[in-house]
Amino acid sequence: FARWAGALVLVALAPASGSEEKEEKRKAVAMASRALRVAVARQRRSHAQAIRRLPPGAGTIEVDRLATRYLPDYALPYAVHNIARTTRDDAKVSKALLLLLEPLVQTAGDKGVAFLLAACADMSGHDDASGGDNTRRLRATASLGAEVVKKHFVKNVDALGEHHGAVYLPTQLYKESSDPHALIEA
Protein backbone atom coordinates (compact mmCIF):
# COMPACT_ATOMS: atom_id res chain seq x y z
CA PHE A 1 0.00 0.00 0.00
CA ALA A 2 2.58 2.56 1.11
CA ARG A 3 4.55 2.47 -2.13
CA TRP A 4 1.66 2.86 -4.54
CA ALA A 5 -0.09 5.45 -2.36
CA GLY A 6 3.16 7.38 -2.18
CA ALA A 7 3.34 7.31 -5.97
CA LEU A 8 -0.35 8.14 -6.51
CA VAL A 9 0.17 11.65 -5.12
CA LEU A 10 2.25 12.43 -8.20
CA VAL A 11 -1.03 12.77 -10.10
CA ALA A 12 -1.35 16.20 -8.49
CA LEU A 13 1.97 17.24 -10.04
CA ALA A 14 1.07 16.42 -13.64
CA PRO A 15 1.32 19.47 -15.90
CA ALA A 16 -1.82 20.76 -17.59
CA SER A 17 -1.84 23.71 -19.96
CA GLY A 18 -5.01 23.73 -22.07
CA SER A 19 -8.56 23.69 -20.75
CA GLU A 20 -9.09 20.07 -21.80
CA GLU A 21 -5.85 19.01 -20.10
CA LYS A 22 -6.83 20.89 -16.95
CA GLU A 23 -10.22 19.17 -16.90
CA GLU A 24 -8.57 15.77 -17.40
CA LYS A 25 -6.11 16.52 -14.60
CA ARG A 26 -8.96 17.62 -12.31
CA LYS A 27 -10.73 14.31 -12.99
CA ALA A 28 -7.53 12.33 -12.41
CA VAL A 29 -6.86 14.10 -9.11
CA ALA A 30 -10.47 13.52 -8.00
CA MET A 31 -10.17 9.82 -8.88
CA ALA A 32 -6.84 9.54 -7.06
CA SER A 33 -8.36 11.26 -4.02
CA ARG A 34 -11.28 8.81 -3.95
CA ALA A 35 -8.93 5.85 -4.37
CA LEU A 36 -6.77 7.07 -1.49
CA ARG A 37 -9.78 7.63 0.80
CA VAL A 38 -11.06 4.10 0.18
CA ALA A 39 -7.61 2.51 0.45
CA VAL A 40 -6.74 4.37 3.66
CA ALA A 41 -9.98 3.23 5.30
CA ARG A 42 -9.32 -0.37 4.19
CA GLN A 43 -5.76 -0.30 5.48
CA ARG A 44 -6.92 0.97 8.88
CA ARG A 45 -9.45 -1.89 9.08
CA SER A 46 -6.78 -4.40 8.03
CA HIS A 47 -4.46 -3.07 10.72
CA ALA A 48 -7.16 -3.37 13.38
CA GLN A 49 -7.89 -6.96 12.30
CA ALA A 50 -4.19 -7.87 12.34
CA ILE A 51 -3.81 -6.42 15.85
CA ARG A 52 -6.80 -8.45 17.06
CA ARG A 53 -5.17 -11.63 15.66
CA LEU A 54 -1.99 -11.10 17.68
CA PRO A 55 -1.55 -13.61 20.49
CA PRO A 56 -2.10 -12.33 24.03
CA GLY A 57 1.07 -10.78 25.38
CA ALA A 58 2.48 -9.91 21.95
CA GLY A 59 5.38 -7.53 22.29
CA THR A 60 6.21 -4.15 20.85
CA ILE A 61 8.21 -5.69 18.01
CA GLU A 62 5.16 -7.53 16.67
CA VAL A 63 2.92 -4.49 17.02
CA ASP A 64 5.48 -2.24 15.27
CA ARG A 65 5.91 -4.77 12.46
CA LEU A 66 2.16 -4.73 11.85
CA ALA A 67 2.09 -0.94 11.98
CA THR A 68 4.72 -0.56 9.27
CA ARG A 69 2.96 -3.14 7.14
CA TYR A 70 -0.66 -2.01 7.51
CA LEU A 71 -0.92 1.56 8.76
CA PRO A 72 -1.56 3.86 5.80
CA ASP A 73 0.39 6.65 7.51
CA TYR A 74 3.56 4.89 6.38
CA ALA A 75 2.77 6.03 2.83
CA LEU A 76 3.94 9.54 3.80
CA PRO A 77 7.70 8.78 3.64
CA TYR A 78 7.23 7.33 0.13
CA ALA A 79 5.14 10.32 -0.95
CA VAL A 80 7.65 12.84 0.42
CA HIS A 81 10.50 11.06 -1.35
CA ASN A 82 8.63 10.86 -4.68
CA ILE A 83 7.55 14.50 -4.51
CA ALA A 84 11.04 15.72 -3.58
CA ARG A 85 12.46 13.98 -6.65
CA THR A 86 9.77 15.43 -8.93
CA THR A 87 9.31 19.14 -8.15
CA ARG A 88 10.70 22.15 -6.30
CA ASP A 89 7.46 24.14 -6.53
CA ASP A 90 6.19 24.45 -2.94
CA ALA A 91 2.60 25.12 -4.04
CA LYS A 92 2.57 21.88 -6.04
CA VAL A 93 4.25 20.04 -3.16
CA SER A 94 1.51 21.21 -0.79
CA LYS A 95 -1.27 20.08 -3.15
CA ALA A 96 0.33 16.69 -3.66
CA LEU A 97 0.83 16.18 0.08
CA LEU A 98 -2.74 17.22 0.85
CA LEU A 99 -3.99 14.53 -1.52
CA LEU A 100 -2.56 11.93 0.88
CA LEU A 101 -2.80 13.79 4.19
CA GLU A 102 -6.54 14.49 4.03
CA PRO A 103 -7.66 10.84 4.14
CA LEU A 104 -4.94 9.96 6.66
CA VAL A 105 -6.03 12.62 9.13
CA GLN A 106 -9.72 12.06 8.44
CA THR A 107 -9.46 8.44 9.56
CA ALA A 108 -6.89 8.78 12.37
CA GLY A 109 -7.68 12.03 14.17
CA ASP A 110 -5.28 13.74 16.58
CA LYS A 111 -3.12 10.67 17.16
CA GLY A 112 -2.58 10.45 13.42
CA VAL A 113 -1.63 14.13 13.27
CA ALA A 114 0.95 13.61 16.01
CA PHE A 115 2.41 10.65 14.11
CA LEU A 116 2.53 12.59 10.82
CA LEU A 117 4.33 15.49 12.49
CA ALA A 118 6.82 13.09 14.09
CA ALA A 119 7.37 11.38 10.72
CA CYS A 120 8.01 14.72 9.01
CA ALA A 121 10.47 15.71 11.73
CA ASP A 122 12.25 12.37 11.41
CA MET A 123 12.42 12.58 7.61
CA SER A 124 13.81 16.11 7.73
CA GLY A 125 16.76 14.81 9.77
CA HIS A 126 17.66 11.99 7.37
CA ASP A 127 19.60 11.85 4.12
CA ASP A 128 18.43 10.53 0.77
CA ALA A 129 19.55 6.89 0.63
CA SER A 130 19.10 6.58 -3.12
CA GLY A 131 22.40 8.25 -3.91
CA GLY A 132 22.27 11.56 -5.79
CA ASP A 133 22.09 15.04 -4.36
CA ASN A 134 18.45 15.14 -3.33
CA THR A 135 18.92 15.36 0.46
CA ARG A 136 18.34 19.13 0.66
CA ARG A 137 15.09 18.90 -1.28
CA LEU A 138 14.00 15.82 0.63
CA ARG A 139 14.44 17.63 3.93
CA ALA A 140 12.68 20.74 2.62
CA THR A 141 9.74 18.65 1.37
CA ALA A 142 9.47 16.89 4.76
CA SER A 143 9.54 20.25 6.56
CA LEU A 144 6.88 21.60 4.21
CA GLY A 145 4.84 18.47 4.97
CA ALA A 146 4.90 19.39 8.67
CA GLU A 147 3.80 22.93 7.81
CA VAL A 148 0.92 21.59 5.70
CA VAL A 149 -0.18 19.30 8.55
CA LYS A 150 -0.08 22.18 11.05
CA LYS A 151 -1.87 24.62 8.75
CA HIS A 152 -4.67 22.32 7.64
CA PHE A 153 -5.16 19.83 10.45
CA VAL A 154 -4.01 21.25 13.80
CA LYS A 155 -6.86 23.20 15.28
CA ASN A 156 -5.56 23.51 18.83
CA VAL A 157 -1.80 23.27 19.29
CA ASP A 158 -2.18 22.92 23.06
CA ALA A 159 -4.45 19.89 22.69
CA LEU A 160 -2.11 18.12 20.28
CA GLY A 161 -0.17 15.41 22.03
CA GLU A 162 3.23 14.07 21.08
CA HIS A 163 3.79 10.81 19.27
CA HIS A 164 5.68 8.64 21.75
CA GLY A 165 6.26 5.61 19.55
CA ALA A 166 8.89 4.94 16.95
CA VAL A 167 8.70 6.12 13.36
CA TYR A 168 10.24 3.66 10.92
CA LEU A 169 11.47 5.14 7.65
CA PRO A 170 12.08 2.90 4.62
CA THR A 171 15.83 2.28 4.56
CA GLN A 172 15.89 2.11 0.77
CA LEU A 173 14.81 5.79 0.74
CA TYR A 174 16.23 7.32 3.94
CA LYS A 175 19.52 6.90 5.74
CA GLU A 176 20.81 8.25 9.03
CA SER A 177 22.59 11.55 8.70
CA SER A 178 25.94 12.20 10.29
CA ASP A 179 24.78 15.82 10.85
CA PRO A 180 20.98 16.21 10.66
CA HIS A 181 21.20 20.02 10.74
CA ALA A 182 23.99 20.45 8.19
CA LEU A 183 21.82 20.97 5.12
CA ILE A 184 19.50 23.92 4.86
CA GLU A 185 17.38 24.48 1.77
CA ALA A 186 18.45 27.63 -0.01
Side-chain angles (χ1 to χ4, degrees):
F1 170 82
R3 288 183 181 151
W4 76 259
L8 194 57
V9 299
L10 296 178
V11 168
L13 301 177
S17 55
S19 61
E20 285 183 28
E21 285 181 7
K22 288 180 181 177
E23 180 60 22
E24 287 300 315
K25 179 181 175 179
R26 187 195 62 73
K27 288 178 183 177
V29 169
M31 188 182 316
S33 177
R34 280 191 304 276
L36 283 168
R37 279 195 313 270
V38 168
V40 164
R42 284 183 183 161
Q43 283 299 113
R44 293 223 188 273
R45 285 192 302 271
S46 295
H47 178 254
Q49 290 170 353
I51 292 292
R52 283 193 297 272
R53 287 192 302 264
L54 281 175
T60 306
I61 293 171
E62 291 88 2
V63 172
D64 286 352
R65 184 180 50 78
L66 289 177
T68 58
R69 180 173 181 195
Y70 289 105
L71 281 180
D73 309 77
Y74 278 98
L76 184 62
Y78 290 94
V80 166
H81 197 269
N82 287 335
I83 292 166
R85 296 183 69 80
T86 306
T87 186
R88 293 184 172 274
D89 182 335
D90 285 352
K92 288 182 179 181
V93 169
S94 295
K95 286 181 182 180
L97 287 171
L98 274 171
L99 191 63
L100 177 63
L101 291 170
E102 285 176 341
L104 291 177
V105 173
Q106 183 180 25
T107 58
D110 289 342
K111 286 183 181 181
V113 170
F115 173 84
L116 295 170
L117 288 172
C120 288
D122 206 21
M123 286 183 282
S124 65
H126 279 73
D127 291 345
D128 186 355
S130 61
D133 59 350
N134 200 42
T135 295
R136 286 177 190 256
R137 190 63 209 156
L138 186 65
R139 290 180 180 191
T141 303
S143 295
L144 184 58
E147 290 176 29
V148 169
V149 169
K150 290 174 187 173
K151 178 180 177 185
H152 292 277
F153 305 110
V154 176
K155 293 168 183 52
N156 182 355
V157 175
D158 296 330
L160 183 64
E162 285 188 37
H163 175 72
H164 296 290
V167 175
Y168 299 100
L169 298 178
T171 56
Q172 69 271 29
L173 302 179
Y174 298 88
K175 66 180 179 181
E176 290 288 331
S177 174
S178 58
D179 185 2
H181 304 291
L183 299 175
I184 298 173
E185 181 69 15

